[in-house]
Amino acid sequence: MTPFDQLKTSTLALGRRLMGTATAAALGLGLGLAVIAGAPAPVLAQDAGAQTGQPALWVLRDADSTIYLFGTVHLLRPETAWHSPVVDQAFDSADQIWFEIENPDDQAAAQPLVMRYGIDMQTPLSSRLNAEEQVQLNTAAEAMGLNGPAFEPMRPWLAALTLSVAPLTKAGYDPQSGVELVLRARALEAGKPIDGLETIEEQLQILAGMPEEAQMDFLRSVLSDYENATVELDRLVEAWAAGDVDTLEDIGVTQMRAEGEEFYQALLVRRNANWAGQIDTMMQGEGVIFIAVGAAHLAGDDSVQALLEQRGYTVERIQ
């Protein structure tokens, strides 16, 4: 079995909780979940009018431009109700749809990048772990049908992400039910142009470029809190679906910053600043654009909305 076969076997889907602590940061990153997992294309399982939720939605406008900002969750249970008439109307009115990356289902693009940035054949993962951490890793690996040696070629950030998803998939969470893939399928069906704020490679470089000790902190966080992953994500998804942005900020932003300023700056602040600049440029054009990004990017003092307001825009919450 090759290292990449091991990745697909473990259903690497990036992230554990929605986007919060060092472990959950992966889900805020929003890497190509289904791509790396090698999962089938999403099915539009939710009738847009059949189930309703209240996830937050914002809008900014000028004389000839309207941009909607919608926070997403990259892993959901298929039965999670999140559609609402307000979100559906905004999406349907859009001339263009933007996500963090244009196609998170592009396996051909993602596979060599995972190998390039996530595999280190020269430094076995076990050489970076103490005896207690190795026991924790072996236990977590066994829970997902693997063993410790399967993780040997992985860099710490990739091992952490691989381990992160196991308890979630067992609990019914599915990257193919994530909001971006559902919306992307809907956009393709409607013939809407789709674009991305980043590339898969840029996203992978964020974690791969973290200092070694920061990556190890990431992995230790996963190992120490492995059994609580589903409880945390359940709480956060409930808040997201209800539009409870304060709770999202507490779990998805405040905790991330408390556990590591470098992760916080790399995964949220610098990316939010980049996106705010791109949105500023979009506003110089005309038409209606719907932007869907991980919900952590739309919460807190360093949110995309806050940065846009610093640029002079009025960003209104409409749900």
Side-chain angles (χ1 to χ4, degrees):
M1 180 178 287
T2 69
F4 187 71
D5 289 332
Q6 294 165 358
L7 302 187
K8 291 200 294 183
T9 301
S10 62
T11 319
L12 177 59
L14 301 190
R16 205 174 61 176
R17 304 166 223 167
L18 174 57
M19 56 240 131
T21 63
T23 303
L27 208 44
L29 183 61
L31 299 169
L33 303 103
V35 174
I36 304 173
V43 176
L44 294 177
Q46 298 194 58
D47 180 344
Q51 303 187 61
T52 59
Q54 293 291 322
L57 179 70
W58 291 264
V59 66
L60 60 157
R61 299 183 173 96
D62 62 17
D64 57 2
S65 302
T66 298
I67 295 182
Y68 294 99
L69 300 174
F70 182 54
T72 66
V73 182
H74 304 306
L75 283 174
L76 282 177
R77 291 188 176 97
E79 67 272 17
T80 300
W82 59 269
H83 285 289
S84 79
V86 175
V87 172
D88 290 332
Q89 183 177 8
F91 184 90
D92 291 341
S93 72
D95 306 309
Q96 302 175 52
I97 308 298
W98 284 68
F99 299 110
E100 293 182 21
I101 55 177
E102 185 275 326
N103 183 11
D105 222 11
D106 188 352
Q107 298 185 35
Q111 291 178 6
L113 293 172
V114 171
M115 296 297 295
R116 182 189 309 170
Y117 295 111
I119 298 300
D120 180 0
M121 302 301 292
Q122 305 303 314
T123 310
L125 184 62
S126 59
S127 69
R128 311 172 195 259
L129 305 174
N130 61 35
E132 180 181 358
E133 291 164 349
Q134 187 64 60
V135 170
Q136 291 175 323
L137 175 65
N138 292 339
T139 300
E142 289 172 5
M144 56 193 299
L146 296 175
N147 53 43
F151 288 82
E152 284 291 75
M154 296 186 193
R155 294 187 63 199
W157 71 266
L158 183 56
L161 291 178
T162 305
L163 291 167
S164 294
V165 75
L168 299 181
T169 55
K170 185 177 293 186
Y173 281 94
D174 181 2
Q176 291 299 319
S177 295
V179 176
E180 287 90 346
L181 291 186
V182 172
L183 290 180
R184 187 175 188 279
R186 186 172 164 191
L188 289 172
E189 186 176 66
K192 295 180 182 290
I194 301 170
D195 213 327
L197 297 164
E198 300 171 331
T199 66
I200 294 175
E201 183 165 15
E202 287 171 336
Q203 291 195 337
L204 286 171
Q205 286 174 333
I206 293 172
L207 286 180
M210 297 295 289
E212 190 73 15
E213 189 55 34
Q215 293 187 42
M216 286 304 301
D217 287 343
F218 186 2
L219 178 57
R220 293 184 188 107
S221 175
V222 174
L223 293 174
S224 65
D225 203 24
Y226 183 80
E227 295 181 354
N228 296 323
T230 302
V231 174
E232 290 286 345
L233 184 54
D234 285 345
R235 179 182 169 220
L236 204 145
V237 168
E238 181 179 358
W240 167 78
D244 183 355
V245 179
D246 289 339
T247 298
L248 286 174
E249 179 182 355
D250 178 56
I251 300 173
V253 179
T254 304
Q255 289 187 33
M256 181 194 294
R257 190 167 198 175
E259 291 203 11
E261 182 68 21
E262 180 59 30
F263 266 106
Y264 176 73
Q265 292 293 326
L267 297 181
L268 285 182
V269 178
R270 291 195 285 272
R271 297 171 72 214
N272 289 355
N274 180 350
W275 299 352
Q278 293 188 56
I279 293 169
D280 189 7
T281 299
M282 293 176 198
M283 289 294 290
Q284 309 311 309
E286 59 183 20
V288 181
I289 297 174
F290 187 98
I291 299 175
V293 297
H297 296 284
L298 305 181
D301 293 339
D302 295 310
S303 67
V304 173
Q305 307 96 299
L307 297 175
L308 287 168
E309 288 175 346
Q310 291 175 18
R311 290 173 175 262
Y313 292 101
T314 297
V315 184
E316 175 189 4
R317 180 172 176 179
I318 58 175
Q319 174 171 288

